[in-house]
Amino acid sequence: MMSYTRSLLVLLFTLALVIVTIVLFFSNNSTNKSQYNTKLNNFANYSNTSALATLDINGPITSQSTHNEVKIIVSNLDVNLQIIKGYDNDIVINQVFPNSQRSYDAFLRSIYLNGFTLKTNKNTVNNPVGLCATGDLYNFYFIFNSNNIVNTWQSSCNGSNSNFGGNLSVILSLFQSQVPSYNNYTNNLNL
């Protein structure tokens, strides 16, 4: 009888422990989802402000006459594509396309969900120019009221020790998709 009572107590204790663990797991999970949704909505709320999301693609280190840089600046009013020749900020194409707040909201949500705001702590390089001399350097900015909320970089070179923590291929695609006929503008560039 004593063994039966002891077994029953152990079983009840184990069952209570499992129930408490399950409840704690789901309550923490819902708290994390709630915090994540709040952060997502806070970032997307910039769609009704003057905030700018920017991608700067700086091509390989080459001569002044063959070096290219592409900037895509997205706001709730327009999308600006700038193609720059050389190293002296010589803008050879400056094309502006209309945008809307709803489009910008969808864009901001998409880049947020793909890690646009994530920054790694592994980098101490202030100016990454030249770290990927034969590849492309990608700089990401999110500017609101002259404040850099996001200022990160990544490159196409392996081991570049970047500080960008998001999904590079998706973020690049999202920015490039904001420019109608993006490939027509950039096909002949040294990128």
Side-chain angles (χ1 to χ4, degrees), residues 95-167:
Q95 189 69 44
V96 178
F97 306 93
N99 204 11
S100 71
Q101 182 179 339
R102 291 181 79 182
S103 173
Y104 194 42
D105 180 80
F107 173 72
L108 291 180
R109 288 177 181 279
S110 296
I111 62 174
Y112 183 85
L113 290 169
N114 284 282
F116 180 74
T117 61
L118 298 178
K119 186 173 183 177
T120 66
N121 293 323
K122 66 181 179 180
N123 186 277
T124 57
V125 176
N126 290 333
N127 185 356
V129 173
L131 287 176
C132 183
T134 59
D136 295 331
L137 178 64
Y138 311 105
N139 290 291
F140 303 98
Y141 305 102
F142 191 75
I143 302 165
F144 178 64
N145 288 340
S146 301
N147 294 317
N148 274 338
I149 295 171
V150 172
N151 183 357
T152 58
W153 67 274
Q154 175 68 280
S155 78
S156 62
C157 296
N158 289 331
S160 64
N161 205 22
S162 71
N163 67 357
F164 176 70
N167 185 330

Side-chain angles (χ1 to χ4, degrees), residues 43-129:
F43 189 72
N45 283 337
Y46 282 109
S47 67
N48 67 359
T49 71
S50 62
L52 303 173
T54 302
L55 164 64
D56 185 355
I57 305 171
N58 208 325
I61 304 299
T62 60
S63 71
Q64 171 71 8
S65 62
T66 60
H67 179 74
N68 296 116
E69 185 177 346
V70 173
K71 289 186 181 187
I72 301 171
I73 305 162
V74 184
S75 75
N76 65 359
L77 297 176
D78 53 43
V79 176
N80 182 220
L81 170 69
Q82 296 178 352
I83 297 180
I84 300 163
K85 189 86 164 161
Y87 296 92
D88 298 322
N89 207 27
D90 182 18
I91 299 172
V92 293
I93 294 176
N94 187 22
Q95 189 69 44
V96 178
F97 306 93
N99 204 11
S100 71
Q101 182 179 339
R102 291 181 79 182
S103 173
Y104 194 42
D105 180 80
F107 173 72
L108 291 180
R109 288 177 181 279
S110 296
I111 62 174
Y112 183 85
L113 290 169
N114 284 282
F116 180 74
T117 61
L118 298 178
K119 186 173 183 177
T120 66
N121 293 323
K122 66 181 179 180
N123 186 277
T124 57
V125 176
N126 290 333
N127 185 356
V129 173

